[in-house]
Amino acid sequence: RDRKDLGEEGYHLEVSSTEISLSAANPIGLFYGSVTLLQLLDEGERLGRSGSVPTVNISDSPRFSWRGMHLDVGRHFFPVDFVKRYIDLIAMHKMNRFHWHLTEDHGWRIEIKKYPKLTEIGAWRKESLVGHYNDKPHRFDGIRYGGFYTQDEIREVVEYAATRFITVVPEIEMPGHSKAALAAYPELACTDGPFEVEKVWGIHEDVYCAGKETTFEFLQNVLTEVMALFPSTYIHIGGDECPKTRWKAHDLDQIRMKEENLKDEHELQSYFVKRIERFLSSHNRRLVGWDEILEGGLPPAATVMSWRGYEGGIKAANSGHDVIMTPTSYCYFDYYQSKDKDSEPLAIGGFLPLSKVYLFEPIPPEIDPEKSHHILGGQGNVWTEYIKTESQLEYMAIPRMSAMAEVLWSSKSDRSYKGFIARLGMSHFGRFDRMDVNYRQLDANDRLLNQMNDL
């Protein structure tokens, strides 16, 4: 039955003593209804009533259109089979975006036919950092590390995700976080190099030269191949953490600034991003970038991913730009899950317990109510400087992914942390057990919150 009243992704599930009825306006709604039905069947199995489903009448639809999970494969590489497993976890949480961070200072992970050295050279670093970045002097393991996805593997992942109604959004970093590309093609830099694929985490000063036309020719050729692989309307171009040191000292960049009447290097970055945005728009794609793309002036059709708090997203939404909220304080799943860091795997820092993820509110009060529709949603981010294995990645992502999924799907009035914790323990952890997922168990603090608070 047609159920346009439930929106693009909503569904209606009705179970009586004699029949099961599932209806939706679109196939994606039927898919999400099927996920709910499978969960009900699973619950019957848990209670010893195999094949039984309780009598229910459910009308359900998501609050936000962008319900995402991110995965950085630039720092540490994860094979196709695990990427598919990650997509399965996203799908079982009724999330619909997989943000795939494919290029980084520390490794270029996508095959580009026109530029074979990107994977021949750029996909491999000589060694990796041992311990934390803050441990000085730095120590390294002496082991060559890397990997990349062929274009056929990329297509395989994209098709796999599509069968689960998940859009794969690729990220090709620029102008910064580009040392792996510069190691392969040093002529794109501001200096002569030589460059190596980076082995130290952090921000690095060598970036694409904004004064060379060859830089834009290269990036447009790369993006042409990327667009052929990814049907996603959105193409992520990074845009974050780009030092301006090389641009300040390089003649061609300074000439570019004078020719384009740019007052400083922030406006030069804006010029860079706007050129890429025009190219993507000419191919009916939309540019999305981290909130640094606001600096120096935002491209007219760009979407902002606000990570350095809410401020960038508030500014962008109030000026009429679409926004995905993903502030570090609620959405960075590479942060520690306990204040007792010695009891946890090595992480980049910070503290983000499950309860705080559940408190995430993508639309802050500073958003003009008439502009709130510009908040498309949010996502959880998994950066992998200190995440080397599949097991560790699951531990960092799960069950914080579950909390993020509920925040992005459910209305504020329908959410209860106490109920969420109870459902995790009674049912959802059992599903993870059957999938052999290495999720993080609830600790005493989580259980205390369950007893004392209804957040």
Side-chain angles (χ1 to χ4, degrees), residues 71-270:
L71 178 61
D72 163 28
V73 295
R75 277 54 174 244
H76 283 99
F77 178 77
F78 294 87
V80 166
D81 285 349
F82 180 77
V83 173
K84 289 181 176 179
R85 177 175 169 89
Y86 193 70
I87 287 169
D88 285 341
L89 289 167
I90 295 172
M92 74 179 284
H93 287 90
K94 297 180 185 149
M95 301 174 99
N96 63 359
R97 295 292 193 283
F98 170 44
H99 175 177
W100 205 0
H101 183 86
L102 289 163
T103 73
E104 197 34 83
D105 291 309
H106 312 89
W108 183 284
R109 305 297 182 213
I110 177 172
E111 178 188 26
I112 301 297
K113 302 284 190 182
K114 191 174 182 68
Y115 301 106
K117 288 191 288 186
L118 286 172
T119 45
E120 291 170 2
I121 296 172
W124 308 92
R125 59 177 179 260
K126 289 184 177 179
E127 55 189 353
S128 302
L129 191 67
V130 173
H132 200 278
Y133 173 85
N134 292 334
D135 299 337
K136 302 292 176 67
H138 287 151
R139 296 181 297 116
F140 301 92
D141 59 13
I143 302 170
R144 184 173 183 259
Y145 182 89
F148 65 92
Y149 306 102
T150 66
Q151 292 199 357
D152 284 343
E153 288 174 324
I154 294 284
R155 292 188 190 95
E156 182 182 342
V157 168
V158 170
E159 290 171 6
Y160 187 86
T163 64
R164 288 146 179 81
F165 294 92
I166 292 170
T167 300
V168 184
V169 179
E171 181 176 358
I172 308 297
E173 273 275 9
M174 62 186 82
H177 288 290
S178 51
K179 278 196 73 177
L182 299 181
Y185 295 95
E187 63 271 19
L188 302 174
C190 298
T191 68
D192 294 333
F195 306 105
E196 292 184 345
V197 179
E198 188 55 59
K199 61 185 182 180
V200 177
W201 316 132
I203 300 171
H204 302 279
E205 291 187 346
D206 289 301
V207 301
Y208 290 120
C209 177
K212 295 179 179 178
E213 282 301 304
T214 50
T215 297
F216 295 97
E217 178 185 350
F218 167 82
L219 289 171
Q220 289 176 5
N221 287 335
V222 167
L223 290 171
T224 296
E225 294 195 32
V226 168
M227 288 187 289
L229 295 168
F230 294 91
S232 168
T233 300
Y234 292 91
I235 305 293
H236 205 301
I237 58 87
D240 61 311
E241 298 178 329
C242 179
K244 311 299 190 289
T245 308
R246 298 290 185 254
W247 291 353
K248 289 178 179 179
H250 190 230
D251 290 346
L252 290 179
D253 292 290
Q254 295 302 307
I255 290 170
R256 175 82 75 188
M257 289 172 59
K258 290 178 182 178
E259 290 177 345
E260 299 293 334
N261 295 315
L262 307 174
K263 68 178 182 181
D264 58 25
E265 285 74 21
H266 292 295
E267 289 195 359
L268 180 59
Q269 175 161 327
S270 179

Side-chain angles (χ1 to χ4, degrees), residues 327-375:
T328 59
S329 52
Y330 293 94
C331 302
Y332 270 47
F333 296 172
D334 55 333
Y335 283 14
Y336 282 103
Q337 301 181 74
S338 170
K339 290 183 178 179
D340 179 12
K341 295 181 179 179
D342 291 338
S343 69
E344 295 287 313
L346 180 66
I348 196 166
F351 173 50
L352 180 55
L354 182 67
S355 57
K356 190 168 184 182
V357 178
Y358 199 83
L359 287 173
F360 175 43
E361 172 45 50
I363 303 180
E366 295 86 351
I367 298 288
D368 180 342
E370 294 185 357
K371 301 293 180 66
S372 62
H373 65 280
H374 285 297
I375 306 299

